[in-house]
Amino acid sequence: MSTEEMNIQELESQFSEQERLRRDKLAELKSEGKDPFDVYKVDRTHTSEQVKSNFEDLEGKEVTVAGRIMSKRGQGKVVFSDVHDRDGKIQLFIKIDEVGEEQLKSYKTFDLGDMVEATGEVFKTRTEEISIKVKNFQLICKSLKPLPEKWHGLKDPDLRYRQREVDLITNPEVKDTFIKRSQIIRGIREFLDNRGFLEVETPILSPIAGGAAARPFITHHNTLDIDMYLRIATELYLKRLIVGGFEKVYDMGKNFRNEGMSVRHNPEFTMIELYEAYSDYNDMMEIMENLAAYVCEKVNGTTKVMYQGTEIDFKPPWRRITMVDAVKEYAGIDFNAIASDEEAQAIAKEKHLEFPKPLNTVTKGEVLNALYEEFAEQHMIQPTFVMDYPVEISPLTKKKRGNEMFTERFEGFVFGREICNAYSELNDPIVQRERFEQQAKERELGDDEAYMIDEEFMSALETGMPPTGGLGFGVDRLIMFLTDAPSIRDVLLFPTMKPQTNN
């Protein structure tokens, strides 16, 4: 026996009984000159929805439909079969008087999951179901793997994410989620385009991982013989475009962060950042709340959604609260009364807060942020802007007017989850360099998410950037709320998964 024959034999030994039967049917079809994989094109005239929505005009007329066989019923001289396409399903009525005994027998041998083209007359059955009285048909693709059992579908989450194509076939509501995802993304672009923003593209590969506090993916450019980073944010490039004279810009695309996976995090995700010259963080709040409300109403017909059993209303204006007030309300600690880093460190120790560096190097502002995350964040259920973040955790942000311990930065929260981040952008190159140098010290102390110094960005800032407002938000997280998806994986067609092994 040749090596090739042995490999084929080994492969076939791994098939289930159903898979072997399907391959035998395919072999028989090929021997009869009816290979379904020899079909190159289908002259479909209508989808299932087009037939149903135009029934009055199409009744009694001939149409051609195509799709996947999802059910077969009946015996003897009649078969009813549901065929699914991109829009839904249509029932085929296959009768011996119309197609002949041999063709009817042939259809009965088709398996669930096979794909067919069918031509026939549009009519209604006695039960008032719009159907196609089939005159002729052909098998256009043979499914060699059986679909999950009809009544249960594909339910295991891990399998659903790994075999998204089967998930889409067997769970129609999943397809609806991704249709809505497309509508949401289109709505975001529509909202910004109508406000005069210009969509641009910025590099995904960069010699500096800048614009956010995150751990990057590292790759190597062979020709240049340098390490490069997959982008963690688009911020610094977009600000350079503001310097160049584009006054309203946005980039919507993939960012990559080499961090953990959870119901809220995927290493590869869709992000949008936008910048508007002559604006501040108050303008960014107005844009964010109106954008979310616009898109929600566009795809759902209302600004309200039910998310995991809780009603969320995106209607502007959203609640606004400072980080200091949030910590006072939910942790019972008034940071206006705390005078020193040492006093804040004592509170951190008492509350068992953890930091990526020695406690005696932690600042008052860093403790405030940690207390917010620990005690207040989960209470931000309705859309809320948490404002005025400590300066030491906001290196790209202008200081708060009237209180230089804080910055004009906010994050938006829904259902206890952050969905956006925005600043009155720092445009003083001298202060920006000081902030970057402090971040470099943080990296030396062990914080590998601290910012790197981007000299090309610094050169642009020294050329002169006008007062600017900037906003970034996770598109996937917004989609989660608008589709009632419990996990970010439910709104990503192909989420990052640990590879399967044969062991």
Side-chain angles (χ1 to χ4, degrees), residues 32-70:
E32 296 171 356
K34 300 176 182 178
D35 186 349
F37 298 116
D38 275 348
V39 177
Y40 284 80
K41 187 180 187 307
V42 173
D43 293 319
R44 180 172 65 175
T45 63
H46 297 77
T47 66
S48 59
E49 179 58 32
Q50 288 168 345
V51 171
K52 292 177 179 179
S53 60
N54 295 286
F55 174 73
E56 290 184 2
D57 294 330
L58 292 174
E59 184 176 15
K61 295 180 180 178
E62 187 173 281
V63 299
T64 298
V65 296
R68 190 180 299 275
I69 300 172
M70 295 300 288

Side-chain angles (χ1 to χ4, degrees), residues 230-368:
L230 294 183
R231 73 180 180 197
I232 56 175
T234 59
E235 178 166 347
L236 303 188
Y237 285 106
L238 290 172
K239 286 181 177 177
R240 289 168 65 178
L241 296 180
I242 294 290
V243 171
F246 286 126
E247 295 180 0
K248 292 183 176 185
V249 293
Y250 74 93
D251 187 347
M252 178 157 49
K254 294 290 188 181
N255 284 358
F256 307 85
R257 297 183 182 178
N258 197 353
E259 298 167 352
M261 296 183 290
S262 70
V263 295
R264 287 183 271 178
H265 297 93
N266 194 70
E268 174 184 355
F269 60 98
T270 301
M271 184 84 173
I272 185 168
E273 290 196 41
L274 61 93
Y275 292 84
E276 181 176 2
Y278 314 115
S279 300
D280 65 7
Y281 79 149
N282 294 299
D283 298 300
M284 297 302 105
M285 289 184 214
E286 186 271 334
I287 286 176
M288 182 67 216
E289 62 191 1
N290 280 284
L291 183 154
Y294 174 86
V295 174
C296 185
E297 189 159 18
K298 189 175 184 66
V299 300
N300 290 326
T302 173
T303 61
K304 296 179 180 180
V305 297
M306 288 297 295
Y307 185 72
Q308 302 301 289
T310 298
E311 184 178 83
I312 304 292
D313 192 351
F314 287 97
K315 183 180 180 180
W318 295 5
R319 181 192 183 197
R320 288 154 168 77
I321 186 171
T322 67
M323 182 178 281
V324 168
D325 287 342
V327 167
K328 184 176 181 180
E329 180 174 345
Y330 296 107
I333 300 170
D334 184 1
F335 256 70
N336 288 322
I338 294 175
S340 66
D341 290 344
E342 290 75 19
E343 191 176 346
Q345 291 163 11
I347 293 173
K349 186 175 182 180
E350 177 189 337
K351 297 295 185 181
H352 306 289
L353 301 179
E354 295 183 357
F355 300 88
K357 60 182 181 178
L359 182 58
N360 62 1
T361 66
V362 173
T363 66
K364 174 181 171 181
E366 290 169 328
V367 174
L368 172 64

Side-chain angles (χ1 to χ4, degrees), residues 69-195:
I69 300 172
M70 295 300 288
S71 73
K72 291 189 301 178
R73 306 174 298 282
Q75 51 188 346
K77 298 181 179 181
V78 174
V79 170
F80 293 93
S81 181
D82 288 336
V83 169
H84 289 212
D85 61 14
R86 72 180 190 201
D87 291 340
K89 68 177 182 178
I90 190 76
Q91 179 173 264
L92 304 184
F93 175 74
I94 307 165
K95 192 175 182 182
I96 194 169
D97 295 347
E98 297 287 342
V99 300
E101 183 178 354
E102 185 177 339
Q103 280 289 82
L104 182 65
K105 183 179 178 182
S106 172
Y107 196 92
K108 289 179 179 180
T109 67
F110 293 172
D111 293 304
L112 300 188
D114 289 354
M115 303 189 77
V116 294
E117 168 196 16
T119 299
E121 182 183 296
V122 178
F123 81 113
K124 275 187 181 179
T125 63
R126 284 196 295 261
T127 58
E128 295 293 300
E129 182 168 354
I130 297 172
S131 305
I132 310 294
K133 186 183 294 182
V134 176
K135 294 182 177 179
N136 54 72
F137 62 84
Q138 69 168 331
L139 187 66
I140 59 174
C141 180
K142 182 67 184 171
S143 174
L144 300 182
K145 280 185 175 291
L147 296 175
E149 197 273 324
K150 175 181 176 182
W151 301 112
H152 298 98
L154 190 64
K155 300 302 180 186
D156 179 77
D158 188 76
L159 277 178
R160 286 182 51 233
Y161 303 141
R162 289 185 188 279
Q163 300 180 28
R164 183 65 85 185
E165 63 284 353
V166 181
D167 189 29
L168 291 167
I169 292 168
T170 59
N171 297 315
E173 70 279 3
V174 174
K175 183 183 287 187
D176 293 340
T177 293
F178 289 102
I179 291 172
K180 187 173 285 188
R181 179 188 174 98
S182 179
Q183 294 170 342
I184 291 167
I185 289 173
R186 188 161 59 246
I188 292 170
R189 285 194 166 101
E190 186 177 275
F191 177 88
L192 293 174
D193 293 347
N194 288 342
R195 286 196 168 210

Side-chain angles (χ1 to χ4, degrees), residues 264 377 411-414 416-421 472 477 481:
R264 287 183 271 178
E377 186 172 287
E411 290 185 331
F413 289 85
V414 177
R417 301 174 182 178
E418 181 228 326
I419 63 165
C420 69
N421 189 16
R477 288 191 183 178
F481 290 119

